[in-house]
Amino acid sequence: MDFVILSLILLAVGIYGLLTKRELLKVFISVELIATAATLNFVMLAPSVSEQVGEAFLVLAFSTDTAVSAVILALLVIARKKYGTSDLSQLVEPEKQKDKSEVET
Amino acid sequence: MILEALTVGLVVSACFAVFIDEAVYSVAALAGTFLFTSALYASSGAIFVAVFQFAVGVGTLAILFLSGEMLGGKIENKPKPRNVIVVLVSGVLLSLPAAFLSFFGATSSVPSPSFGETLWNLRAVDVVLQGLVVLIVALGIGIVLFEKERKGEM
């Protein structure tokens, strides 16, 4: 089996979710999948460079991944508290969505 | 054979995490993704990376379960069996190239110390125990929140 193809497939699934899903939680899950794909590449290609360099990149990748997760989760909680929704399409233009719902009612 | 099975499981659980609409099921599928990734690292010889992936995954999942329980509310729509089968089949089909094709020759393997040496001499057992403690606390808080919501106190 080939880990590069596996990480490409994970990357494709993550990018598809990032482009098509509107829920902030789904966006977070897609970002996690993309980060997992990147980490998989770092781990499996590390022995071809140097083990120390690979470990350094790995720790960097894990810490970046955790920081990104924290930021997205904070955004999710703030958006949910402030606007009452985590739908990205409603978060981008809340005024338009309000007007639409008023017209419909 | 084990690597191929882990690959199929990893891609299928990633597809479930993205395509299932309900938040709690989606997070559970993401847990499967982290678990399969960790097992894949361990079976490739990268034990220390596997332990790190497990610990980071446990922390992320604990917070995700809590926020999903806090923000998501009650489960209203269970996934339809037809959708589950479609996602399962598409995940298996997607994972076939990774499992059975090889563009770069042999499988890459990472030189690494043994499992016992990693756990004890490199102190990875501390990381694992901390992860388990975080997971147990998060599960406890989740159960308390769920029970409160079920009784209508929240």
Side-chain angles (χ1 to χ4, degrees), chain B:
Chain B
M1 193 61 199
I2 295 173
L3 281 179
E4 280 80 7
L6 289 175
T7 305
V8 173
L10 174 60
V11 176
V12 168
S13 57
C15 287
F16 271 113
V18 170
F19 294 114
I20 294 288
D21 287 331
E22 185 57 49
V24 178
Y25 292 124
S26 194
V27 172
L30 188 69
T33 307
F34 285 138
L35 198 68
F36 278 116
T37 312
S38 184
L40 200 64
Y41 290 149
S43 58
S44 305
I47 306 284
F48 198 69
V49 182
V51 170
F52 253 95
Q53 174 74 37
F54 181 75
V56 170
V58 161
T60 308
L61 286 172
I63 294 175
L64 263 182
F65 266 117
L66 283 181
S67 61
E69 183 67 34
M70 193 175 69
L71 302 176
K74 288 183 179 175
I75 299 172
E76 289 170 358
N77 302 320
K78 285 193 172 179
K80 294 174 186 170
R82 187 171 169 273
N83 291 350
V84 172
I85 292 171
V86 168
V87 173
L88 186 69
V89 171
S90 56
V92 170
L93 287 178
L94 262 178
S95 66
L96 288 183
F100 296 109
L101 284 184
S102 181
F103 289 155
F104 299 100
T107 304
S108 49
S109 62
V110 184
S112 178
S114 68
F115 188 67
E117 192 184 348
T118 305
L119 276 184
W120 194 247
N121 292 344
L122 297 176
R123 306 305 301 165
V125 66
D126 300 346
V127 183
V128 174
L129 289 178
Q130 285 173 20
L132 284 178
V133 168
V134 169
L135 182 66
I136 290 168
V137 169
L139 282 177
I141 296 172
I143 290 169
V144 169
L145 283 175
F146 182 74
E147 285 296 318
K148 275 191 175 179
E149 193 178 306
R150 201 167 60 89
K151 289 175 184 169
E153 291 177 13
M154 286 181 78

Side-chain angles (χ1 to χ4, degrees), chain A residues 1-6 9-10 13-14 16-18 20-21 25-26 28-30 32-33 36 39-41 43-47 51 55 58-59 62 65-66 69 73 76-77 80-81, chain B residues 3-4 7 10-11 14-15 17-21 23 26 30 33-34 37 40-41 44 46 49 52-53 56 60 63-64 67 71 94 97-99 101-104 107-111:
Chain A
M1 64 166 292
D2 204 318
F3 288 106
V4 178
I5 302 177
L6 177 61
I9 291 170
L10 279 182
V13 173
Y16 178 82
L18 205 61
T20 57
K21 300 293 174 182
L25 194 69
K26 290 283 178 184
F28 174 73
I29 288 173
S30 304
E32 281 294 324
L33 287 181
T36 305
T39 312
L40 189 70
N41 258 342
V43 173
M44 294 306 166
L45 298 180
E51 208 173 327
E55 282 179 8
L58 181 79
V59 172
F62 272 134
D65 183 23
T66 313
S69 309
L73 274 172
L76 176 68
V77 172
R80 191 78 182 197
K81 274 190 177 174
Chain B
L3 281 179
E4 280 80 7
T7 305
L10 174 60
V11 176
C15 287
V18 170
F19 294 114
I20 294 288
D21 287 331
S26 194
L30 188 69
T33 307
F34 285 138
T37 312
L40 200 64
Y41 290 149
S44 305
V49 182
F52 253 95
Q53 174 74 37
V56 170
T60 308
I63 294 175
L64 263 182
S67 61
L71 302 176
L94 262 178
L101 284 184
S102 181
F103 289 155
F104 299 100
T107 304
S108 49
S109 62
V110 184

